[in-house]
Amino acid sequence: MTVLVTGATGHTGRHVVAGLKAAGVHTRVLVRDETKAPDGVDVVQGDITDPAGAADGVDAVYLLWPFFSADGIEKALEPFRGKKIVYLSAMSAEDGGVWGDVEAAVEKVTGDWTFLRVTGLATNALAWAQDIETGVVRAAYGQAKRSVVHERDVADMAVKALTEDHARQVYLVTGPESVAQADQVRLIGEALGKPVTWEEQPPEEAIAQLSGYLGAEFAAGAVNHWASLVDDPEPVSLDVARVTGHPARPFAEWAREHFS
Ligand SMILES: NC(=O)c1ccc[n+]([C@@H]2O[C@H](COP(=O)([O-])OP(=O)(O)OC[C@H]3O[C@@H](n4cnc5c(N)ncnc54)[C@H](OP(=O)(O)O)[C@@H]3O)[C@@H](O)[C@H]2O)c1
C-alpha cells in the first residue's frame, strides 16, 4: 500500500507522515518545495491543484485543500478517482462553504472517503505569538469557548482512516474540552512561566485586521462565529478517543509543547 500525504510540511501533515512511517506504510509526499520535504519518504514536487504525477500508483491520500474557495477541486480530485480519500474538513462543512463543497466533490470521485471535520486547530493560537511575547493578546471574544484540537490527534485519526476501513465515516474531531480563548492565552502563559493576559478587541477592528489575510467575507464569518461561541460553546466529541483508542490531548498539553 502507498499513501500520498498532501500538506506534509504543515502542522497536521508532518505528523501524518510520522505516523504512517511508524506504522511501516510506504509513504509519498506532494510538496511545493522539495527542500522542505520530510526524510525517509518518496518526494514528488508539485501543486495540490494539479496532483496527477503524485497520485500515480497510490492507494490512498491525506487531502488538504488550503484555499478559501473550492474552485479547481474537480481537476485536483480526478487523479484520485476510486481511491481512498481522507479529507481534513471542518465542522462548518454541514453548512456548505468551501469544506462542504470539497466534501461533495470528493463523494463524486470515490465511495471510500473519510471526512475529519475539525472544530478548530489548536495551532490557530500561533497567530497570537507576537502578542504573547508582549504579554497581552488583543483579539475579539475572549469568552468564545472553542474545542480546539491538537494537530497530533488529527494526524492519529488520519493514520487510522488511511490504514483501516473507515469508508463513508464523518468524524467530528475536537479537543477534550471547550476552552475560552482568554483561558487558552492564560494556559500559554503558564507554559511560558509568565502571565499573558487577554485584551478585548472590538469586533469591527478584528474583522478589519483579519481581512488582510483571510479576506473580508471569511474574516467576518470567523468573528461572528466566535461571537456565537460565548453563550454556545463548540461541541466536544469523543470521536478521537473512539477511533484512536486514546483521549484527545488537552489544550494545556498543546501549549506546553509549543510554548515552553
Ligand atoms: N485552522 C483551523 O481551525 C481549521 C479548521 C478546519 C479545517 N482546517 C483545514 O486545515 C487546513 C490546514 O491544515 P494544517 O494546519 O495541517 O496545514 P498548515 O500548517 O496550514 O500548512 C498548509 C500546508 O499546505 C501546503 N500547501 C499550501 N498550498 C499548497 C499548494 N498550492 N499545493 C501543495 N501544497 C500546498 C503547505 O505547503 P508549503 O510548505 O509549500 O507552504 C503546507 O504543507 C486548512 O487549509 C483548512 O482547510 C483548518
Side-chain angles (χ1 to χ4, degrees), residues 6-14 30-33 36 46-49 62 64-67 87-92 98-99 116-124 146 148 151:
T6 65
T9 59
H11 291 118
T12 62
R14 75 185 63 170
L30 169 65
V31 289
R32 293 189 290 185
D33 177 353
K36 286 163 62 181
D47 195 286
I48 187 60
T49 55
Y62 175 65
L64 240 77
W65 187 252
F67 310 110
Y87 169 52
L88 174 56
S89 187
M91 187 174 74
S92 61
V98 56
W99 293 285
L116 305 178
R117 290 184 177 174
V118 308
T119 43
L121 295 170
T123 49
N124 291 343
R146 304 213 56 187
V148 291
E151 60 274 19

Side-chain angles (χ1 to χ4, degrees), residues 81-216:
R81 184 168 285 279
K83 301 177 194 246
K84 178 193 285 252
I85 300 178
V86 175
Y87 169 52
L88 174 56
S89 187
M91 187 174 74
S92 61
E94 60 196 15
D95 304 320
V98 56
W99 293 285
D101 291 348
V102 173
E103 286 189 2
V106 167
E107 286 183 77
K108 283 190 191 146
V109 296
T110 186
D112 192 354
W113 50 259
T114 309
F115 299 146
L116 305 178
R117 290 184 177 174
V118 308
T119 43
L121 295 170
T123 49
N124 291 343
L126 296 172
W128 300 325
Q130 268 189 327
D131 276 7
I132 284 164
E133 275 183 35
T134 71
V136 182
V137 171
R138 180 174 163 82
Y141 296 111
Q143 287 313 307
K145 293 158 203 76
R146 304 213 56 187
S147 56
V148 291
V149 62
H150 195 304
E151 60 274 19
R152 287 179 193 272
D153 288 330
V154 177
D156 290 349
M157 294 285 283
V159 170
K160 287 284 184 187
L162 288 162
T163 57
E164 299 174 353
D165 182 11
H166 292 263
R168 297 177 178 274
Q169 298 300 310
V170 178
Y171 294 120
L172 184 59
V173 183
T174 76
E177 60 198 335
S178 290
V179 184
Q181 300 201 95
D183 287 329
Q184 292 179 28
V185 161
R186 179 180 53 75
L187 289 164
I188 290 170
E190 285 177 16
L192 281 168
K194 69 166 198 180
V196 185
T197 56
W198 183 275
E199 184 180 306
E200 198 59 37
Q201 181 182 38
E204 309 72 41
E205 188 188 310
I207 291 171
Q209 190 178 322
L210 293 170
S211 291
Y213 58 100
L214 288 182

